[in-house]
Amino acid sequence: MRSIWKGAISFGLVTIPVKLYSATEQKDVSFHQVHREDGGRIRYKRVCTVDGEEVAYADIAKGYELPTGDMVVLTDDDFADLPLSSSRRIDVLQFTPVDQIDPIYFAKSYFLEPDAQGAKPYVLLRDALERSGQVAIVKVALRQRESLATLRVRDGIFVLETMLWPDEVRTADFGFLDEDIDLRPQELKMAESLIETMVADFDPSEYKDAYREALQEVIDAKVAGREVVQVEGPAEAGPAVDLMAALRASVDAAKREREGTQKKKAEPKKKTRKSA
């Protein structure tokens, strides 16, 4: 991994120099837009809508469009005096129980690695934070944007998770929330039974991106010059007509699946004979 930012955690009078790395990566299959006839790449030009001329990147500024359609043009000088921290600090503001933070606020995760001279205070704060059961609420400026963030410990490493500001989280304003929907006790009990039947420890390695794998197979087949066979997916089930019957059937299916899984795990592995 290559660090994308260098700075320091500021904790009281303690300064811990760190490097920042992206903790996640998207595994999407990327494509280019091409000419269907010959596969040539499609290029785009920056053209001014007023005079129709192509504009050099150095001559492009940021514009804010008013409701009237008029444009306010902002230059680098306009951004220079804005209150954006340039001190490259991760300022610890407070410590908070993690269950008080709604996951909807989390935006992106980063790893923090200490510089050589910062290893001891890094480990000191890491261990103290882990023992406290809290997360640190911090403020940091990344990519010309100031963000609120949390600092937590994962596998011995500080993870910085940038957060959305409160006014960036939308309100769930849906009509059904105001409706008085009548639920029978038997339906609720059956739904709870279904949940209990499906409870299991989360193991992320058990899941995979089936669509991406299938798409990669299509691409590999194209490369190899083989015929690509269209595979039809399973038919989607419609909405349940009898809610209780659907819940009961779901509970039975979940129990059968769990019993099959447990039986498979309990089966002793066959020993392979060694050739003499």
Side-chain angles (χ1 to χ4, degrees), residues 192-233:
E192 291 173 345
S193 178
L194 175 57
I195 292 174
E196 291 173 3
T197 305
M198 297 177 67
V199 169
D201 293 332
F202 176 61
D203 181 2
S205 65
E206 294 181 355
Y207 303 92
K208 61 181 181 179
D209 187 345
Y211 176 82
R212 176 166 55 89
E213 292 183 357
L215 178 58
Q216 190 62 56
E217 289 180 3
V218 171
I219 294 172
D220 293 342
K222 288 276 189 179
V223 173
R226 295 184 284 110
E227 181 180 357
V228 180
V229 180
Q230 295 286 341
V231 180
E232 294 186 4

Side-chain angles (χ1 to χ4, degrees), residues 12 23 65 101 107 112 142 151 161 166 195 201 214 229:
E65 187 173 3
I101 305 173
L112 293 178
L142 298 173
L151 203 60
E161 291 184 296
I195 292 174
D201 293 332
V229 180

Side-chain angles (χ1 to χ4, degrees), residues 22-271:
S22 291
T24 60
E25 59 179 340
Q26 292 294 113
K27 293 289 189 176
D28 291 341
V29 178
S30 59
F31 295 98
H32 296 294
Q33 287 190 327
V34 297
H35 186 198
R36 186 189 300 273
E37 299 298 325
D38 55 21
R41 289 278 302 276
I42 304 300
R43 301 293 185 184
Y44 292 91
K45 295 182 178 180
R46 301 179 181 90
V47 177
C48 176
T49 58
V50 176
D51 60 18
E53 297 293 327
E54 185 174 355
V55 181
Y57 186 79
D59 295 329
I60 295 178
K62 290 182 172 65
Y64 180 83
E65 187 173 3
L66 300 175
T68 60
D70 294 331
M71 195 71 67
V72 178
V73 179
L74 301 174
T75 65
D76 291 341
D77 292 338
D78 296 316
F79 289 95
D81 296 328
L82 293 180
L84 181 64
S85 173
S86 59
S87 59
R88 289 186 171 269
R89 290 189 314 187
I90 301 172
D91 290 316
V92 177
L93 307 178
Q94 68 180 69
F95 295 93
T96 302
V98 66
D99 58 9
Q100 291 186 7
I101 305 173
D102 190 326
I104 198 171
Y105 286 103
F106 294 132
K108 186 169 174 56
S109 301
Y110 300 90
F111 290 138
L112 293 178
E113 177 193 26
D115 277 354
Q117 64 270 30
K120 184 173 182 179
Y122 180 101
V123 172
L124 175 64
L125 177 58
R126 180 200 67 188
D127 291 356
L129 183 61
E130 196 166 27
R131 292 176 63 176
S132 73
Q134 310 280 313
V135 295
I137 305 297
V138 304
K139 188 179 285 188
V140 61
L142 298 173
R143 296 189 177 94
Q144 298 300 309
R145 176 180 170 87
E146 189 172 63
S147 297
L148 202 61
T150 61
L151 203 60
R152 64 181 179 88
V153 182
R154 182 180 187 272
D155 296 335
I157 297 293
F158 273 132
V159 176
L160 179 79
E161 291 184 296
T162 56
M163 301 169 65
L164 302 172
W165 295 102
D167 60 356
E168 294 178 315
V169 178
R170 295 175 174 175
T171 301
D173 185 14
F174 301 108
F176 82 94
L177 295 173
D178 298 324
E179 298 176 9
D180 187 14
I181 299 176
D182 184 31
L183 293 177
R184 292 185 294 166
Q186 303 95 314
E187 293 172 337
L188 185 58
K189 186 175 181 180
M190 188 61 70
E192 291 173 345
S193 178
L194 175 57
I195 292 174
E196 291 173 3
T197 305
M198 297 177 67
V199 169
D201 293 332
F202 176 61
D203 181 2
S205 65
E206 294 181 355
Y207 303 92
K208 61 181 181 179
D209 187 345
Y211 176 82
R212 176 166 55 89
E213 292 183 357
L215 178 58
Q216 190 62 56
E217 289 180 3
V218 171
I219 294 172
D220 293 342
K222 288 276 189 179
V223 173
R226 295 184 284 110
E227 181 180 357
V228 180
V229 180
Q230 295 286 341
V231 180
E232 294 186 4
E236 294 186 5
V241 178
D242 187 335
L243 184 57
M244 277 296 291
L247 286 170
R248 189 175 291 109
S250 298
V251 171
D252 293 341
K255 286 181 178 179
R256 288 195 300 271
E257 183 176 351
R258 168 161 289 188
E259 289 171 358
T261 302
Q262 291 176 345
K263 183 179 179 180
K264 189 175 181 180
K265 290 182 178 179
E267 290 178 354
K269 295 182 179 179
K270 295 181 179 179
K271 294 183 179 180

